[in-house]
Amino acid sequence: MSKKGRRLTLGLAGKEAKAKWTHKKAQTDKKFGRGLAPVAAPSSLKPAPGVQKKKKKVKKSGDGAAAAGAAPAAAAEAAAGAAAGFFPFSSEDVILLVGEGNFSFSAALAARLGTAEMVTATAFDSEAEVSRKYPDAGAKTSAVEDLGGTVLYGVDATKLETCKALRGATKFSKVCFNFPHAGAGIKDQTLNNLTNQRLLAGFFSSVRPLLSSPLQGLQYTPAGPVVPELGQVIVTLKTGLPYDVWGIAEIAKAAGYQVHACSEFRPEWYAGYEHRRTIGWVASQEGNLELQDKPCKSWVFVDRKAVIAGKAEATRGAKRAAKKAGEAKKADAAKTAGGRVGADSQATTAAGYTAAGYYVVSRATPTRVPSREDTRCT
């Protein structure tokens, strides 16, 4: 091959490799939430656009005008749903809240659900430190406890297994960490970002044993026995710098999780919630002013291995059901065939008796028809 031919071959190979790399990177970005739009699911939790199943193509009908008009309407509806975001909790969830400050989120969530029997709210600081930082915390914790909730202090989100109250407890279907921040006060932004990344990585590693799974069977909660759902980890962050630099989706992926959903966090959904900084109430702005200029996102993650195990079990269950249905069908077919054979045998027997001069009074006692000789007078 000439030099020109070799250069052409190498050039084509390089372009092909670059195209494959670009495609793989695009698929990875799409799968793990880089640049995800809010999820169009205001009333129930649905997968984010980056991880949704592909929609089937709709065949165009003869009414082209109706089909053309439906597309903009569907797009408008999806946009409205995306703007609305989603509310990820329900009264059937077993909920663990970590990293609470003044417990205003816990109180607001309990009030919205109407009960806190299956809500456990925790703070990193001691009870005395919480009272010092947040003077309004006492009223919030009382509201949670009055609705049946549990409040714990001194719980490290990166070492949840060390908390005796959580060890061996009922598994949680939702574990939520709102606005995680180490609060280290480091001036070097690079080092500060690294500290918060380590906080998130430690949390993802620590929370896995506490997540529920349908494969665990029935679990008993204050609301009674339930079949647990696949546990979800919810992390809410502000957008913009420095939070976008943390790369929460990449940290979760490295810890063995995948993005299930991502949507806007709406403080107005939680009446009475007041955002507070880690360093305390004095440095915080009143109400939720800090959140107004920086839109917030709630990321929902699930354990990748648990998802795979669940799909495998579902496949095995479907095979077992199909096998059982096949066996039942064969049994019914055999029973039907046996009935037909019995009926044919009985018909053949009756025909034989009749041909021999008998009439059948019952299946057990055929009686002979009297002959002419039997009835002749002597």
Side-chain angles (χ1 to χ4, degrees):
M1 184 183 291
S2 65
K3 290 185 178 180
K4 185 177 180 180
R6 284 197 298 270
R7 284 198 300 270
L8 180 59
T9 302
L10 292 174
L12 291 174
K15 288 182 180 179
E16 183 179 2
K18 184 177 180 181
K20 288 183 178 179
W21 180 87
T22 304
H23 175 72
K24 186 175 180 180
K25 183 176 184 299
Q27 292 296 320
T28 304
D29 291 347
K30 183 178 180 182
K31 183 176 180 181
F32 294 104
R34 298 187 184 100
L36 282 178
V39 180
S43 59
S44 61
L45 191 59
K46 294 182 179 179
V51 292
Q52 280 182 331
K53 292 182 179 179
K54 292 182 179 179
K55 295 183 179 179
K56 294 182 179 179
K57 293 183 178 179
V58 180
K59 294 183 179 180
K60 293 183 179 179
S61 62
D63 190 358
E77 183 179 353
F86 65 84
F87 181 76
F89 303 100
S90 76
S91 57
E92 297 179 357
D93 282 321
V94 184
I95 302 169
L96 173 64
L97 306 175
V98 302
E100 285 290 275
N102 63 346
F103 288 90
S104 62
F105 181 83
S106 306
L109 176 61
R112 170 155 182 172
L113 296 178
T115 179
E117 288 186 345
M118 296 195 290
V119 176
T120 301
T122 70
F124 174 76
D125 295 318
S126 64
E127 184 174 2
E129 187 69 5
V130 168
S131 299
R132 184 188 68 80
K133 284 184 175 181
Y134 314 102
D136 58 340
K140 307 299 183 183
T141 54
S142 296
V144 174
E145 292 172 337
D146 289 344
L147 287 173
T150 302
V151 176
L152 302 174
Y153 300 92
V155 178
D156 189 341
T158 64
K159 299 177 182 178
L160 293 171
E161 69 281 359
T162 62
C163 179
K164 293 182 179 179
L166 299 178
R167 199 182 306 156
T170 300
K171 303 299 182 181
F172 299 94
S173 60
K174 301 285 172 63
V175 180
C176 180
F177 196 170
N178 285 326
F179 305 103
H181 199 285
I186 302 174
K187 301 300 182 182
D188 186 325
Q189 194 59 55
T190 301
L191 185 56
N192 191 40
N193 289 338
L194 181 60
T195 302
N196 286 291
Q197 287 172 328
R198 287 174 176 169
L199 169 64
L200 289 170
F203 167 64
F204 282 122
S205 176
S206 176
V207 74
R208 179 175 281 107
L210 301 181
L211 296 175
S212 62
S213 169
L215 303 181
Q216 297 168 353
L218 278 178
Q219 69 174 3
Y220 295 88
T221 69
V226 297
V227 177
E229 297 180 357
L230 182 62
Q232 298 177 356
V233 180
I234 303 170
V235 181
T236 304
L237 287 174
K238 298 177 184 177
T239 58
L241 296 175
Y243 310 101
D244 292 347
V245 179
W246 294 359
I248 184 172
E250 286 76 11
I251 295 173
K253 178 185 175 183
Y257 294 84
Q258 67 185 42
V259 177
H260 179 72
C262 180
S263 184
E264 182 183 1
F265 174 81
R266 306 290 290 272
E268 59 268 24
W269 286 347
Y270 307 93
Y273 170 63
E274 296 179 338
H275 178 70
R276 293 288 179 265
R277 289 189 179 182
T278 307
I279 56 177
W281 180 82
V282 177
S284 302
Q285 298 184 32
E286 290 292 339
N288 294 306
L289 293 178
E290 286 191 355
L291 305 182
Q292 291 181 2
D293 297 333
K294 289 189 175 181
C296 308
K297 281 186 179 181
S298 286
W299 295 80
V300 182
F301 302 96
V302 290
D303 187 351
R304 190 184 306 115
K305 289 185 177 179
V307 172
I308 295 172
K311 289 181 179 179
E313 180 60 28
T315 302
R316 288 192 293 268
K319 289 181 178 179
R320 287 194 296 267
K323 183 178 179 181
K324 190 174 181 180
E327 291 174 351
K329 188 175 181 180
K330 286 181 180 178
D332 291 341
K335 186 176 180 181
T336 303
R340 285 198 301 268
V341 170
D344 293 343
S345 177
Q346 292 171 8
T348 301
T349 303
Y353 276 121
T354 303
Y358 289 82
Y359 65 91
V360 179
V361 177
S362 69
R363 292 179 182 175
T365 58
T367 302
R368 189 175 184 279
V369 178
S371 65
R372 183 175 298 177
E373 286 78 7
D374 295 334
T375 57
R376 186 173 51 194
C377 294
T378 57

